[in-house]
């Protein structure tokens, strides 16, 4: 149960200038700038390396990393699923990679059909009427949803300024509402869920929407969601569904049935497209038909057997993404949905819920579990008694997990649980992996404070100065030279 990460002294590509060796090993040529007059290759610093060294470089880097392909990955709220290699293979076909977004519509009918059908599948999965695939991630989907909310009320001549967000929400919810020009009002939760009485008094005539995640970030299903919807609708306000936790409910119920008006999906979470390292992702949004005219342009329409883009939507919130969204990601999600089928997607959700509850039970002697009921696809544990007894924090536990080859859970979120460890095993973990993860958690809880404080011990980078890493970022390589670091 130990893990040793490869520790290569790997130079940057710009520091390698390697000759080709015997065998089939080509020198990867410099890209020549198109306009030599304006672009100087030396200034843009394109390295020249052999094919073999390029391959080694990336393999070495990948060995100094940790991903869903290495081992258990528990990052809560992120749904770190295995990304099927079939989706990767199909998405890297030249039929896909050589598409150009400015090709005439009649030459990309297959791609338009994939997008059109994916929209229909997502509409069915969510119980919405219309879907746009454009947003590049969940947060941008939220932003689009808030712009739609704003457009809807201004079309009715109503000035509603406020958006309600529960205190368990993801930080992107209040950020998206604020960016769309709303004032955010935080709703304190009660027993981890919406306090319906408080909500009733908070929904005044200038409330535009409530943004809700269901199941919420504690893994609790908001049991009174239909009542919540009727309170909002009774005052003319909208209900927004943050779809990041959809992996708990796909095929079981829909946000549409619960009364939501707008939904975003995180394809990189629920639908197993690659995730992490900043993307690319996709965060489509779905709406009930009365909001469809506000969706971003272009919409994809089907006339008989042909598909085309429609830009003629005068009430649309406009464009959100260059061209049509991250097509490669959309295609992978489409493949994933078709591979699983409706029954498969439902079984995945059921298994994800079972796995989370199994793991929760297995570690519940060593960690406190607030809100003792059964959870959906994730649960939150707390290290607060370990902290008061031994000075061990959630951060120490997370760092130590890396020594055992387990990607740590999300920590310090949601904010309403002190020393929180938010754990989401997904349906992908086998029983053996779940048992292994549970024993890692239990073993760490019994370990010496000193071992934990100095962990991780087996990774290339040990504890970094997180403040410095965030505040003093170095994004590009500069050669130190006489004139103070001009790129080579
Ligand atoms: C991930 C997440 C988001 C944001 O989605 P991105 O795709 O990362 O932009 C919003 N809400 C919740 C609950 C999430 O887990």
């Amino acid at each position: 149960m130990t893990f040793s990460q490869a520790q290569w002294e790997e130079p940057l590509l710009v520091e390698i200038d390697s000759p080709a060796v015997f065998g089939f090993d080509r020198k990867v040529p410099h890209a020549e700038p198109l306009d030599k007059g304006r672009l100087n290759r030396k200034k843009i610093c394109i390295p020249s390396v052999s094919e073999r060294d390029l391959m080694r470089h990336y393999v070495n880097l990948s060995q100094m990393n940790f991903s869903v392909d290495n081992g258990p990955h528990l990052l809560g709220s992120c749904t770190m699923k295995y990304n099927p290699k079939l989706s990767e293979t199909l998405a890297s076909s030249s039929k896909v990679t050589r598409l150009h977004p400015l090709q005439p519509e009649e030459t990309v009918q297959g791609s338009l059909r994939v997008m059109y059908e994916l929209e229909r599948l997502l509409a069915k999965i969510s119980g919405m009427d219309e879907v746009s695939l454009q947003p590049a991630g969940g947060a941008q989907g939220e932003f689009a949803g808030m712009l739609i909310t704003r457009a809807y009320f201004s079309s009715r001549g109503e000035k509603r300024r406020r958006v309600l967000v529960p205190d368990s929400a993801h930080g992107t919810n209040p950020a998206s509402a604020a960016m769309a020009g709303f004032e955010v009002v935080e709703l304190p939760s009660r027993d981890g869920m919406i306090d319906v009485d408080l909500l009733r008094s908070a929904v005044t005539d200038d409330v535009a929407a409530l943004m809700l995640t269901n199941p919420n970030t504690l893994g609790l299903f908001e049991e009174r969601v239909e009542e919540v919807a009727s309170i909002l609708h009774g005052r003319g306000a909208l209900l927004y569904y943050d779809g990041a936790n959809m992996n708990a409910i796909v095929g079981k119920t829909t946000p549409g049935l619960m009364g939501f008006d707008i939904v975003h999906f995180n394809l990189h979470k629920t639908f197993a497209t690659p995730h992490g390292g900043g993307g690319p992702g996709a965060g489509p949004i779905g709406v009930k038909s009365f909001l469809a005219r506000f969706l971003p342009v272009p919409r994809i329409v089907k006339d008989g057997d042909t598909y085309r883009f429609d830009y003629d939507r005068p009430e649309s919130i406009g464009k959100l993404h260059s061209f049509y969204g991250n097509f490669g990601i959309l295609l992978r999600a489409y493949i994933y949905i078709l591979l699983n089928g409706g029954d498969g997607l439902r079984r995945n959700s059921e298994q994800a819920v079972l796995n989370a509850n199994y793991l929760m039970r297995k570690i519940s002697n060593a960690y406190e579990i607030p809100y003792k009921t059964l959870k959906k696809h994730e649960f939150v544990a707390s290290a607060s008694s370990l902290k008061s007894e031994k000075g061990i924090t959630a951060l120490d536990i997370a760092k130590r997990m890396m020594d055992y080859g387990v990607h740590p859970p999300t920590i310090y979120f949601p904010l309403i649980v002190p020393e929180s460890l938010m754990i989401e095993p997904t349906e992908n973990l086998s029983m053996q992996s779940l048992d292994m993860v549970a024993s890692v958690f239990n073993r760490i809880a019994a370990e010496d404070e000193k071992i934990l404080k100095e962990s991780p011990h087996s990774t290339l980078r040990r504890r970094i100065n997180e403040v410095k890493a965030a505040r003093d970022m170095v994004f590009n390589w500069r050669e130190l030279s006489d004139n103070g670091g001009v790129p080579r």
Side-chain angles (χ1 to χ4, degrees), residues 179-237:
M179 280 186 65
F182 291 106
E183 181 191 319
V184 177
V185 181
E186 184 178 285
L187 278 185
S189 47
R190 186 184 201 166
D191 298 329
M193 285 191 261
I194 289 276
D195 180 336
V196 174
D197 296 325
L198 185 74
L199 177 73
R200 200 171 274 116
S201 60
V203 185
T204 49
D205 285 342
D206 70 344
V207 166
L210 167 69
M211 298 181 86
L212 193 59
T213 312
N214 197 21
N216 66 25
T217 61
L218 295 161
L220 297 170
F221 190 86
E222 297 281 356
E223 284 158 10
R224 297 172 72 180
V225 63
E226 286 164 305
E227 211 178 328
V228 167
S230 75
I231 292 171
L232 269 294
H233 293 154
R235 288 292 190 116

Side-chain angles (χ1 to χ4, degrees), residues 236-258:
L238 302 180
L239 190 55
Y240 181 92
Y241 184 81
D242 177 330
N245 289 347
M246 206 177 261
N247 205 43
I249 62 152
V250 174
K252 306 294 284 183
T253 182
T254 70
L257 279 174
M258 296 176 213

Side-chain angles (χ1 to χ4, degrees), residues 76-79 136-142 168-173 213 215-217 242-245 264-269 275 281-283 378 413 422 424:
S77 203
C78 293
T79 316
Q140 205 188 23
E142 293 169 25
S168 59
H170 195 267
T172 50
N173 290 186
T213 312
N216 66 25
T217 61
D242 177 330
N245 289 347
H264 85 250
F265 306 82
N266 304 68
L267 298 188
H268 42 286
K269 298 181 181 175
H275 188 166
E378 71 185 4
F413 172 66
M422 184 198 228
E424 181 179 6

Side-chain angles (χ1 to χ4, degrees), residues 17 56 77 102-103 119 125 153 246 307 378 439 463 465 468:
D17 186 16
R56 286 189 178 167
S77 203
L102 294 177
Q103 262 174 258
E119 285 184 0
I125 288 168
F153 286 113
M246 206 177 261
Y307 300 88
E378 71 185 4
S439 67
R463 278 214 198 185
N465 181 336
K468 192 166 159 57

